Amino acid sequence: MPGSWSFHLPTLAGGYRTRMAESKTKTETTPETTDPSVLVKARREKLRRWREEYALEPFGHRVDEVDSLATARERFDEAADDLWQTRSEAAEDDQSPEDPRPRARVAGRCVQHRAMGKLVFAVLRDDSGDLQISVSKKAVDATAFKVASKLDYGDIVVAEGPIGRTKRGEICIWADRFELHCKSLVPPPEKYHGLTDVETRYRQRYVDMYMNPEVMDIFRKRSQVLSVIRRFMEGRGFIEVETPMMQPLAGGAAARPFMTHHNALDIDLFMRIAPELYLKRLLVGGMRRVYEINRNFRNEGIDRQHNPEFTMMELYEAFSDLDGVMELQEDLFATLAREVNSDGGTTVQWGDLEIDYGRPFERVRYGDLFRQGTGLEMSDREGVRSAAEAAGMPDVDKQDHWLLVDALFELHGEPAIDPSRPTFVTHFPAELSPLTRPDPEDPELALRGELFIGGMELSNGYTELNDPDIQLARFTEQLSGADDEASTFRSLDEDFINALRVGMPPAGGLGVGIDRVVMLMTGCTSIRDVILFPLLKPEGGESDEAS
């Protein structure tokens, strides 16, 4: 619902604030005990003592009816708390007045801790936020109080009691039940290093998430984005399907595949680079609207916009076309923007850009951008070759003309697109789009459109090619100078050709990079900030994003 999300997030990479309390336990703050190995040893010694002296099982058990910390906070009743204060002040020392305050049972990880004689304050954190608890020596048994007094940051506990306020007005659970449910044996890393190093954040995402609530918020919002997309697609009558991740042929996109081997069948297989050819088979089979949200795998470089394992939504709609899937995208992005905005508007902040997702999006032809960026016509073979040589491109004399055009377009055409205005680039060269129907008015151009937002390519849309003879010719012809990445687009899939001969209805097709959509909707400028466990080099190697 509009207004349900808050997306004003700080820049993530290298800019985290330390979240832990300034107050520390004596064991972990003395100058001579800042060595990580010493801190770990101290925690293990504490674990041993608790087991021996208190017969404590420090790794917990099932606990039912646990409230989230946010739910407990919302349950606070100011009138009941005022009544309790009045009753407490009027009661005799030996009396226990009836407590009208609502109760809550919560669980969380300790992120702040302060022991003050007969009273212990701690801040717990779960995936809904933070909440303070207080443990009084007179409210719990002796063992529980000793454990509460000696908690370490990162320990997971369960606390139960009435919800009130401290003298400073902070909402707090005044625990009359307190239990340790997991002893953390490793101190939070910023005790001695900090989480400002992006590689450490990605490698230890489990620490990153509990120490930095905005990280948890991003991944909750990623889930919400996917839920919105699925509801949108279901509302349009699309059926969600699943197609093979391991395929006998790599096809459907221009990308280098990962290979694997099936031992029982003794065959090599490819991790899929795109689900396109299988989804089109479903159109042949009679499904009119199909889509899939799932992983693709491409053996390519790593940077702020690319991860070799990524999530894509690919869809096909019978009797639609490029215009149809462009209109669908306009509606989808406007829907997402309204969901993330408290005012229900369509403008979303992304870095320094304010991007308006209201319809209509800009539309510009590939050839016009090429001319704007290079001063050349795409058909000017000599001019294109000279421009490619001037740009320092290798083996220009061996490269097909259209491959040179595309390289120059990436170099000079794409930068001409306004990053703050969602823009469809249409009418790509047909030679670069072997699965796309040619433009009947100019067969050298294809009915293909890429959506660019924020300087990133978000999607590829098509009027699909369903003529089996033309498709077979596209698969078998090779562009001179094409590398193995470009050639993968033309892998001959004879079964797919047979499916087209059975008959596929005219259709519109679309592939959308979900990770980049999430980046735009959460304010993240690196794809790694929206992937829970991005691919990394072994520790000690060169930074992946520099490769």
Side-chain angles (χ1 to χ4, degrees):
M1 298 296 292
S4 60
W5 299 0
S6 175
F7 268 74
H8 301 288
L9 302 175
T11 300
L12 295 179
Y16 282 114
R17 298 185 301 274
T18 298
R19 300 290 183 180
M20 298 310 195
E22 294 180 0
S23 57
K24 316 288 186 189
T25 62
K26 185 178 294 184
T27 305
E28 296 192 353
T29 55
T30 328
E32 61 268 24
T33 61
T34 55
D35 185 323
S37 63
V38 174
L39 298 179
V40 170
K41 184 177 180 180
R43 289 189 175 218
R44 286 196 170 274
E45 175 61 20
K46 186 181 293 185
L47 173 65
R48 184 195 63 77
R49 284 199 319 271
W50 285 358
R51 277 177 162 155
E52 291 183 0
E53 295 176 15
Y54 307 146
L56 184 70
E57 174 46 56
F59 293 104
H61 52 76
R62 171 174 170 170
V63 181
D64 293 327
E65 299 179 353
V66 176
D67 298 308
S68 72
L69 297 179
T71 298
R73 179 180 289 277
E74 291 168 0
R75 199 175 293 166
F76 170 73
D77 186 327
E78 186 171 5
D81 188 64
D82 290 341
L83 178 58
W84 166 250
Q85 297 296 335
T86 301
R87 289 179 178 179
S88 298
E89 292 168 2
E92 300 292 337
D93 290 342
D94 59 347
Q95 291 181 329
S96 296
E98 181 183 354
D99 192 339
R101 297 173 295 180
R103 293 178 61 83
R105 179 184 301 157
V106 299
R109 191 182 292 274
C110 175
V111 295
Q112 295 184 22
H113 182 260
R114 187 168 74 254
M116 304 169 62
K118 296 181 180 181
L119 196 60
V120 175
F121 288 99
V123 174
L124 304 187
R125 177 169 293 162
D126 70 4
D127 62 348
S128 70
D130 293 0
L131 184 65
Q132 183 168 284
I133 66 168
S134 176
V135 184
S136 169
K137 188 172 184 179
K138 67 179 181 180
V140 298
D141 63 52
T143 297
F145 185 74
K146 288 177 180 177
V147 171
S149 300
K150 299 296 183 180
L151 276 185
D152 288 321
Y153 297 136
D155 289 349
I156 298 174
V157 302
V158 171
E160 181 177 353
I163 310 166
R165 281 181 300 195
T166 66
K167 291 181 179 180
R168 296 184 178 182
E170 178 69 28
I171 295 175
C172 177
I173 292 180
W174 295 90
D176 50 34
R177 172 189 173 186
F178 180 87
E179 299 171 350
L180 176 70
H181 276 260
C182 186
K183 181 77 189 87
S184 176
L185 299 177
V186 180
E190 77 261 46
K191 292 261 186 168
Y192 41 87
H193 285 310
L195 274 191
T196 57
D197 178 68
V198 293
E199 294 289 328
T200 301
R201 286 182 35 234
Y202 300 141
R203 291 185 194 282
Q204 298 186 23
R205 183 70 87 185
Y206 42 88
V207 178
D208 187 29
M209 291 174 70
Y210 91 72
M211 287 176 53
N212 299 291
E214 59 266 43
V215 175
M216 181 75 77
D217 199 35
I218 285 170
F219 290 106
R220 182 183 296 109
K221 288 164 185 172
R222 179 187 174 105
S223 178
Q224 291 172 319
V225 165
L226 286 166
S227 294
V228 171
I229 291 173
R230 284 189 163 98
R231 289 199 302 270
F232 177 90
M233 297 303 292
E234 290 166 4
R236 295 287 186 110
F238 282 81
I239 297 173
E240 185 172 9
V241 298
E242 293 175 316
T243 60
M245 292 280 195
M246 296 187 298
Q247 303 177 355
L249 292 170
R256 293 183 180 90
F258 289 97
M259 291 185 64
T260 187
H261 185 80
H262 192 288
N263 290 335
L265 297 179
D266 192 24
I267 57 172
D268 290 331
L269 293 168
F270 299 94
M271 301 302 292
R272 78 170 181 199
I273 57 177
E276 176 170 349
L277 303 186
Y278 284 91
L279 292 174
K280 287 181 174 178
R281 286 171 168 93
L282 299 180
L283 293 185
V284 175
M287 288 187 174
R288 184 165 177 172
R289 298 181 182 91
V290 295
Y291 80 103
E292 181 172 9
I293 298 177
N294 222 321
R295 292 291 204 182
N296 289 344
F297 307 87
R298 297 183 182 179
N299 201 346
E300 56 188 18
I302 300 172
D303 58 30
R304 298 180 71 83
Q305 297 181 16
H306 295 87
N307 193 67
E309 178 183 2
F310 63 98
T311 302
M312 175 179 281
M313 176 176 74
E314 197 152 322
L315 67 89
Y316 294 88
E317 181 175 8
F319 304 103
S320 186
D321 60 7
L322 174 60
D323 288 329
V325 295
M326 289 195 295
E327 291 163 5
L328 182 146
Q329 289 178 86
E330 289 175 326
D331 290 343
L332 174 59
F333 276 92
T335 298
L336 288 169
R338 293 189 185 100
E339 288 281 349
V340 307
N341 279 320
S342 58
D343 62 0
T346 57
T347 300
V348 177
Q349 190 77 27
W350 191 65
D352 297 331
L353 301 176
E354 286 192 353
I355 302 175
D356 186 357
Y357 294 95
R359 297 184 65 177
F361 290 179
E362 296 290 317
R363 285 166 168 74
V364 59
R365 287 184 170 235
Y366 183 105
D368 293 339
L369 281 175
F370 184 86
R371 185 185 311 109
Q372 181 179 341
T374 66
L376 299 168
E377 297 293 334
M378 291 191 300
S379 58
D380 183 354
R381 292 180 175 268
E382 288 302 319
V384 165
R385 196 164 297 278
S386 297
E389 290 174 346
M393 295 180 187
D395 300 324
V396 169
D397 56 332
K398 299 178 181 178
Q399 296 280 329
D400 183 89
H401 169 73
W402 293 107
L403 293 177
L404 297 177
V405 166
D406 198 45
L408 289 171
F409 177 79
E410 290 186 6
L411 190 63
H412 300 295
E414 288 183 12
I417 302 170
D418 184 345
S420 67
R421 299 179 68 87
T423 300
F424 289 114
V425 178
T426 65
H427 295 84
F428 278 65
E431 292 291 341
L432 303 175
S433 311
L435 297 170
T436 312
R437 180 177 292 192
D439 184 344
E441 296 181 1
D442 186 350
E444 286 198 337
L445 302 179
L447 298 176
R448 170 184 170 189
E450 289 189 6
L451 175 61
F452 287 83
I453 307 174
M456 298 186 292
E457 177 198 332
L458 268 293
S459 72
N460 247 314
Y462 310 89
T463 296
E464 298 299 337
L465 177 60
N466 63 338
D467 183 323
D469 295 334
I470 296 178
Q471 185 63 84
L472 179 60
R474 290 283 179 83
F475 276 154
T476 53
E477 68 183 12
Q478 293 292 325
L479 299 181
S480 59
D483 58 17
D484 54 350
E485 180 175 315
S487 297
T488 303
F489 220 156
R490 299 170 186 271
S491 298
L492 175 57
D493 187 332
E494 294 181 351
D495 183 73
F496 176 67
I497 295 297
N498 186 60
L500 292 185
R501 288 170 179 153
V502 172
M504 187 183 88
L510 173 66
V512 181
I514 296 297
D515 304 308
R516 295 182 185 178
V517 172
V518 176
M519 288 171 62
L520 291 171
M521 296 297 154
T522 58
C524 296
T525 56
S526 172
I527 196 170
R528 293 185 174 189
D529 289 327
V530 300
I531 296 176
L532 281 166
F533 302 104
L535 183 65
L536 301 170
K537 286 184 178 179
E539 289 192 75
E542 179 188 6
S543 172
D544 301 280
E545 287 194 356
S547 64

